[in-house]
Amino acid sequence: MTTILLINPNTSARSLHMMVRIAASVLPAGVALRGISAASGVPMIVNEAELSASAREVVRLGVELAPEVAAIVVAAFGDPGAEALRDAVRVPVVGIAAASFAEAAAGGRRFGIATTTPGLVRPIEALVERLSFGGCFTGVRVPEGDPRALAEDVSRQERVLAQLVRDCIEVDGAEAVIIGGGPLSAAARALRRQFSTEIIEPVPAAIRLVTRLLDVRPLSSTT
């Protein structure tokens, strides 16, 4: 059976479980998913230093497990370690940020990003430019305050993200909005029901991309 490895670059078992569940909802028949979290690091990546440090663990896990899988998904927004891992293994490596950029910008659409981590805006913007999506990009919207505290109040987090999405659409002119974070996967799914503008879920976007690379057909994302 074809197996995709999903690497959670943070240490949170809760985040891993949520992302695996959502990724599994778009897996084709005959494709299995294996999830693993970083053995060291932080339970939530909120700044550039933590993002950079998580890359080392992503590469370590990816190199160790690549012989056992057909492809690897790096499931943190910012794609820590994805480029280095791609150079080190022979299987496809897809980051959830890069996959969501490609899906959001399809057909030349203008897209924005709503996320809860102000400390990651700079690396996210840098990744957009490095991957040549700058011409379609309307910007990143983030709230003030501690993202870790916001993550503990799920309903408030969803309300905050909903307002950020509205700002992306109504103020910035985005035609699609990415919810920027693997651990925000459940919120992204819920927000899809609230807007007529397309809301991009990074984890399903990565699964759709990696299954195309493997030439297997993903299921449609469920609501």
Side-chain angles (χ1 to χ4, degrees):
M1 177 177 284
T2 299
T3 300
I4 296 170
L5 175 68
L6 184 147
I7 299 177
N8 172 26
N10 71 44
T11 61
S12 169
R14 182 174 66 178
S15 291
L16 177 66
H17 176 76
M18 174 180 57
M19 291 190 291
V20 166
R21 175 176 55 81
I22 288 174
S25 71
V26 295
L27 279 180
V31 178
L33 186 68
R34 178 178 178 182
I36 190 167
S37 289
S40 61
V42 294
M44 182 177 178
I45 297 167
V46 300
N47 58 49
E48 291 186 63
E50 292 169 353
L51 188 71
S52 178
S54 72
R56 294 189 289 273
E57 183 69 354
V58 167
V59 173
R60 183 190 70 79
L61 288 169
V63 168
E64 177 183 333
L65 298 174
E68 304 172 19
V69 299
I72 299 171
V73 170
V74 178
F77 210 74
D79 300 349
E83 293 179 26
L85 181 57
R86 198 173 291 119
D87 291 338
V89 299
R90 296 185 177 182
V91 300
V93 176
V94 170
I96 63 170
S100 63
F101 298 164
E103 195 162 287
R109 284 191 304 191
R110 289 167 55 78
F111 73 90
I113 298 170
T115 188
T116 60
T117 48
L120 293 177
V121 169
R122 189 165 68 174
I124 289 170
E125 291 175 336
L127 185 61
V128 169
E129 292 299 327
R130 190 161 68 250
L131 297 178
S132 300
F133 289 103
C136 297
F137 184 47
T138 65
V140 183
R141 288 278 180 173
V142 293
E144 296 180 355
D146 180 4
R148 293 188 176 97
L150 186 59
E152 293 301 314
D153 188 340
V154 174
S155 60
R156 178 170 172 264
Q157 179 175 259
E158 188 177 315
R159 291 194 302 273
V160 167
L161 282 166
Q163 183 58 55
L164 297 175
V165 169
R166 279 190 285 273
D167 290 342
C168 286
I169 297 166
E170 297 172 7
V171 180
D172 303 334
E175 298 168 294
V177 181
I178 301 166
I179 304 302
L184 298 177
S185 293
R189 180 139 298 187
L191 288 166
R192 288 180 63 236
R193 306 184 188 104
Q194 299 182 32
F195 294 92
S196 56
T197 299
E198 186 172 359
I199 304 300
I200 306 296
E201 303 174 66
V203 170
I207 295 297
R208 286 189 283 269
L209 176 55
V210 82
T211 51
R212 288 196 297 272
L213 294 174
L214 295 174
D215 198 27
V216 290
R217 186 172 183 177
L219 300 175
S220 298
S221 179
T222 59
T223 58

